[in-house]
Amino acid sequence: SSTDGPKSAHFDICSKNLKYKFSENAFNTNILKRHSGQYYTLPPTHIQKLFPYGLPPRFQLQIKTFNEGCVMVRPPALELISYLKRADYSKPPLRYVLYGDIGTGKTMSLCHALHYCYSQGWLIVHVPDAHLWVKNCKELLPSSSRPSRFDQPIQASQWLKNFKITNERFLSKVQLERYVWTKRESTEKGQPLGELIDQGVNRMKSSSDVVGAVLRELRLQAGGATEGEGAFKLAVAVDGVNALWGKTSLKKEDRTMCEPEELTLIHNLRKMMKNNWSGGAILTALSQTGSVFKPRSAYLPSELLGEEGFDNMEPFVPVSVSNYNEKEFESCYLYYLDRNWLQHPHSRSEEGKKELIFLSNKNPSILERLCAFL
Amino acid sequence: MVPQLPLRQIYVASSLWKKNLAAAGPQKFTQEFIDKQVEEFEVGKRHLANMMGEDPETFTQEDIDRSIAYLFPSGLFEKRARPVMKHPEEIFPKQTAIQWDAEGRPFHFLFYTGKQSYYSLLHDVYEKILYMRLIQLMELLLSMPYCSLEEEFILKFRKQLEVQSSKYEIPALQYDPQGVAFSVADGRRKSAKASITLRDSGSGNITINGRNYLHYFPVLQNREQLMFPLLFVGMMGRFDIEGSVEGSGHSAQAGALRLAISRALLSFVSEGEVEKMRQAGLLTADPRIRERKKPGQEGARKKFTWKKR
């Protein structure tokens, strides 16, 4: 699939190293460092289970088009994975915040790190976009358990379904507390987690409270047993974490604006963000594109999280994500060529490549949108 | 005695009495009339010189204009409506000499083709080359050896094109304390003003008003506008651009920046490239501005709803 003479040599050398298959030791630090800037293929089973809805929508389209999901190995993800490897899990969890300009690859790096956690057998609590819980909600019911709060049954049950798909092997865990949902329904002590989730999925009215209960259970159990069958590490991944402390665009029935605290889901998620539990890690990414009432030029944590959010999230480990450098851009360009995505003959020449560099300024999302119509 | 025939009055429509102004064509002046005007002009010129106290012999047209403006000051805005004293040749429209003789027979044998000079030229050239391939064969003629024998003939049909790129002033190339060359240029488009500094030995970063160009121009079209001058000259990754722009909308700002970049590039580029840039339209300032809204209409062109009654 190489095109013209002088370029084909360069292309052949790179294409051998362009993609490599995901294997058991794929997350070995040395291997990852060596393959920095190159693509690795996500196994389709993992994509179905782990990321039914967690990947960015354009990337999902790309997976469908190319029939494979290839992720580029980039320094922010490498950094995150190395921190995860070296962290001490008997202590409270470390909070990692991925921040950067729009379209630089924060969500993709988050998903990469999450894939690492999944392959190591952790329990994944993944909120793909917290902004979805804070705007455009059709139904806002007053909460069944607490009078001043509001429930979002659709979002909660959707999330529970996805949680079930991702963490199938953990569904037979034992739980500790007794939860009362209504006068007739209650979940007894010692029931498996799967039943709790089914309860939430079937009864939409109490699904938000079920979410809260699930999160609480996981918090209590994550650091509990360090050996034996009950041991697991908890990875909490939230994309668009600035939604938790920003403003909502939802209105109550008397037409006043809703505060984030008044939403059950947000309240429970905030409790999860605190590091008063142990045995896991909190990976988050900021997002300006989905955020409500934030200017487009804001990308630093202090700007997007706001004062309240910053105080709550502190201390955290910031990881900055930036545009592609020369090598990464080269790799992305060769990948598109390899997949025959760049159809226009001019785009395969040197001048075409320079034009692409200029027009996208090596920003991953802009480059992807640009190549989409070439 | 001759019997008187009865006279009958013939009634004719009044429109026939009126002169058909359109059919007459432009007003014709006879040669004597024009000669008389010329004489009067000369005499008047001498009178004017005497009035102004100047020498009648060396009284030029500029002096006449000056004196008339002094003697008949006019507040009219339209310059062509002010009083003017010029030679009759300039005032009265020239008339083409009559092409046919008194009997109505044309002088030239190809008069009835409509383009008599052209066809006569063809007739001249026909002996040497056919017209349909005239230009090509002229070039062929030029490419042959010994074409200098026919040079005089060929030069009759060749027109010297002035190279107009020499009219542009190239911004001076200045040097940084570090020895890096840079040039400064301005550009304008539709009330947007841009001013840039183009630095050599850079890596293609562009900063506008302190922000990266990717943030300042989220629209692809504007970034393409910025790219065009650099792409055309082929110096894509070589320069660093630092610019400030204000006024108007985003497209106009992009156009202003493009003009400024092309002007700044003039100092880094050779003569032939300058001509190519001019022909590509990179150096022309776009003269289009917002059209004025007229009274009686909604906007510049849009009219109010037309009601039949």
Side-chain angles (χ1 to χ4, degrees):
Chain A
S1 62
S2 50
T3 47
D4 39 358
K7 214 178 136 292
S8 63
H10 176 68
F11 182 73
D12 283 334
I13 296 169
C14 286
S15 70
K16 285 177 204 150
N17 300 333
L18 194 62
K19 292 189 285 195
Y20 66 98
K21 276 277 183 323
F22 171 76
S23 58
E24 283 311 311
N25 58 347
F27 287 111
N28 187 359
T29 322
N30 296 330
I31 295 187
L32 277 179
K33 266 198 205 149
R34 202 158 28 106
H35 289 284
S36 164
Q38 288 166 24
Y39 282 82
Y40 82 97
T41 328
L42 287 170
T45 43
H46 284 201
I47 300 181
Q48 260 177 347
K49 283 227 168 135
L50 177 57
F51 297 128
Y53 62 129
L55 294 167
R58 283 197 82 99
F59 187 67
Q60 278 173 351
L61 286 174
Q62 191 179 304
I63 294 180
K64 235 200 298 184
T65 319
F66 292 165
N67 242 353
E68 63 178 12
C70 278
V71 178
M72 196 199 273
V73 176
R74 291 184 72 196
L78 284 181
E79 217 183 304
L80 252 191
I81 294 177
S82 68
Y83 290 155
L84 287 171
K85 281 189 191 163
R86 290 186 300 188
D88 185 0
Y89 291 109
S90 55
K91 302 225 183 79
L94 282 171
R95 287 185 278 227
Y96 307 96
V97 174
L98 283 162
Y99 70 98
D101 223 350
I102 300 177
T104 45
K106 302 182 280 290
T107 314
M108 287 303 292
S109 302
L110 188 68
C111 294
H112 189 144
L114 213 57
H115 188 226
Y116 163 74
C117 300
Y118 183 75
S119 62
Q120 303 287 310
W122 295 28
L123 197 145
I124 310 279
V125 170
H126 183 39
V127 179
D129 197 0
H131 290 297
L132 293 175
W133 291 358
V134 144
K135 56 179 183 175
N136 298 340
C137 290
K138 296 276 159 66
E139 282 182 23
L140 203 64
L141 303 174
S143 167
S144 41
S145 49
R146 266 161 266 262
S148 63
R149 296 238 203 102
F150 290 93
D151 267 1
Q152 286 146 306
I154 315 175
Q155 277 82 21
S157 54
Q158 178 71 31
W159 185 81
L160 283 170
K161 278 185 214 152
N162 290 318
F163 181 79
K164 203 164 135 183
I165 299 173
T166 313
N167 301 301
E168 264 182 61
R169 42 192 161 148
F170 290 103
L171 287 180
S172 51
K173 289 226 82 283
V174 181
Q175 65 176 51
L176 300 174
E177 297 271 324
R178 183 178 183 265
Y179 294 102
V180 178
W181 308 120
T182 60
K183 283 189 199 126
R184 275 180 244 157
E185 289 155 19
S186 64
T187 324
E188 299 299 327
K189 237 176 160 177
Q191 295 277 335
L193 200 66
E195 227 190 82
L196 188 60
I197 296 183
D198 287 330
Q199 164 80 31
V201 172
N202 295 333
R203 300 266 177 257
M204 295 271 268
K205 270 193 91 167
S206 46
S207 46
S208 318
D209 293 323
V210 167
V211 170
V214 163
L215 291 177
R216 187 151 166 268
E217 283 303 313
L218 294 173
R219 262 207 310 271
L220 290 171
Q221 294 204 1
T226 38
E227 68 277 334
E229 267 192 35
F232 64 89
K233 289 194 226 161
L234 184 59
V236 180
V238 183
D239 203 346
V241 80
N242 43 324
L244 298 182
W245 290 284
K247 291 191 207 161
T248 61
S249 67
L250 302 171
K251 286 199 183 142
K252 294 186 272 208
E253 273 160 9
D254 49 353
R255 303 247 202 100
T256 50
M257 290 303 273
C258 217
E259 295 296 316
E261 293 93 39
E262 293 177 13
L263 295 168
T264 332
L265 287 173
I266 306 290
H267 184 86
N268 291 322
L269 207 55
R270 279 199 199 178
K271 280 197 263 185
M272 205 68 184
M273 289 284 124
K274 287 191 215 166
N275 47 0
N276 48 6
W277 46 283
S278 64
I282 304 181
L283 312 158
T284 63
L286 300 175
S287 162
Q288 195 279 333
T289 35
S291 70
V292 196
F293 304 125
K294 286 277 179 214
R296 197 183 175 275
S297 52
Y299 73 96
L300 295 169
S302 53
E303 290 166 355
L304 280 177
L305 284 173
E307 268 190 48
E308 203 193 324
F310 201 81
D311 294 330
N312 276 319
M313 285 296 279
E314 242 195 331
F316 62 84
V317 179
V319 182
S320 96
V321 187
S322 60
N323 288 334
Y324 286 151
N325 58 17
E326 299 280 342
K327 193 169 157 233
E328 289 171 347
F329 180 86
E330 183 79 34
S331 165
C332 185
Y333 178 71
L334 287 172
Y335 176 61
Y336 285 141
L337 278 182
D338 174 53
R339 297 265 98 207
N340 281 333
W341 192 227
L342 296 171
Q343 291 282 313
H344 201 281
H346 185 65
S347 60
R348 297 181 195 209
S349 61
E350 274 300 312
E351 286 92 37
K353 197 164 135 205
K354 281 191 194 164
E355 284 184 35
L356 285 174
I357 296 181
F358 188 100
L359 287 176
S360 63
N361 201 20
K362 299 190 211 118
N363 184 298
S365 80
I366 303 240
L367 178 65
E368 197 259 316
R369 269 164 225 262
L370 202 52
C371 297
F373 55 79
L374 279 178
Chain B
M1 253 201 355
V2 179
Q4 292 282 345
L5 289 167
L7 286 171
R8 243 191 294 157
Q9 262 205 299
I10 306 172
Y11 290 102
V12 172
S14 56
S15 56
L16 282 181
W17 297 346
K18 292 190 197 148
K19 280 194 246 177
N20 193 349
L21 294 167
Q27 201 180 1
K28 292 191 176 61
F29 304 100
T30 49
Q31 194 55 35
E32 305 114 18
F33 176 74
I34 292 189
D35 291 335
K36 208 174 78 172
Q37 295 291 319
V38 170
E39 269 179 50
E40 283 184 8
F41 174 75
E42 293 296 327
V43 166
K45 199 166 103 169
R46 298 186 77 89
H47 277 304
L48 190 60
N50 282 329
M51 264 197 277
M52 298 300 290
E54 306 221 11
D55 186 14
E57 301 299 323
T58 58
F59 202 57
T60 58
Q61 186 59 44
E62 285 169 15
D63 297 326
I64 299 180
D65 291 335
R66 216 169 9 92
S67 331
I68 296 289
Y70 171 69
L71 291 170
F72 303 100
S74 152
L76 296 173
F77 286 116
E78 176 67 59
K79 297 264 186 325
R80 290 178 289 185
R82 295 183 181 178
V84 126
M85 179 168 166
K86 283 204 158 57
H87 193 85
E89 293 279 285
E90 291 162 41
I91 296 184
F92 294 104
K94 287 224 172 45
Q95 296 160 45
T96 49
I98 298 183
Q99 311 239 348
W100 49 87
D101 52 17
E103 289 166 8
R105 256 176 131 222
F107 290 124
H108 203 283
F109 74 105
L110 288 173
F111 178 76
Y112 286 111
T113 60
K115 301 173 228 176
Q116 60 181 49
S117 27
Y118 166 68
Y119 283 106
S120 64
L121 170 65
L122 286 195
H123 275 267
D124 292 336
V125 173
Y126 186 70
E127 288 162 10
K128 306 199 174 166
I129 301 163
L130 283 173
Y131 178 72
M132 276 289 123
R133 292 201 300 142
L134 176 69
I135 307 295
Q136 290 172 17
L137 291 177
M138 281 290 210
E139 310 241 303
L140 182 64
L141 187 69
L142 283 170
S143 63
M144 286 181 192
Y146 299 110
C147 67
S148 45
L149 293 175
E150 299 290 340
E151 207 175 294
E152 241 188 75
F153 174 75
I154 294 171
L155 277 178
K156 273 196 276 177
F157 308 115
R158 273 198 141 178
K159 203 165 139 182
Q160 179 78 12
L161 273 179
E162 276 180 29
V163 173
Q164 293 171 0
S165 58
S166 48
K167 294 182 192 161
Y168 290 113
E169 48 164 85
I170 305 175
L173 196 63
Q174 300 157 54
Y175 285 90
D176 244 356
Q178 280 90 24
V180 172
F182 72 96
S183 66
V184 178
D186 290 330
R188 263 203 283 188
R189 163 104 210 264
K190 209 194 199 187
S191 96
K193 293 191 201 132
S195 144
I196 60 154
T197 323
L198 198 74
R199 261 172 243 274
D200 205 351
S201 53
S203 56
N205 306 334
I206 305 191
T207 318
I208 305 180
N209 284 356
R211 294 165 67 183
N212 195 13
Y213 69 112
L214 202 61
H215 294 150
Y216 197 75
F217 288 130
V219 181
L220 182 68
Q221 181 186 337
N222 300 337
R223 275 176 277 143
E224 278 181 354
Q225 290 286 301
L226 284 188
M227 183 175 80
F228 180 34
L230 299 170
L231 184 68
F232 188 79
V233 177
M235 302 180 178
M236 286 276 281
R238 190 172 141 191
F239 295 103
D240 268 342
I241 304 180
E242 199 185 297
S244 66
V245 66
E246 56 177 6
S248 212
H250 59 95
S251 275
Q253 285 182 345
L257 278 168
R258 181 183 115 168
L259 185 60
I261 294 178
S262 336
R263 283 196 186 150
L265 276 176
L266 286 178
S267 46
F268 287 99
V269 121
S270 60
E271 277 289 325
E273 288 281 324
V274 166
E275 180 60 24
K276 278 196 206 166
M277 279 173 83
R278 181 193 72 88
Q279 286 181 352
L282 277 171
L283 301 173
T284 350
D286 203 332
R288 299 179 284 181
I289 37 168
R290 184 145 168 231
E291 206 176 302
R292 182 208 141 169
K293 175 201 177 307
K294 284 107 192 168
Q297 291 177 8
E298 273 277 355
R301 298 283 172 103
K302 179 174 170 159
K303 322 275 187 278
F304 291 124
T305 336
W306 181 71
K307 295 243 171 66
K308 201 164 182 180
R309 48 188 71 85

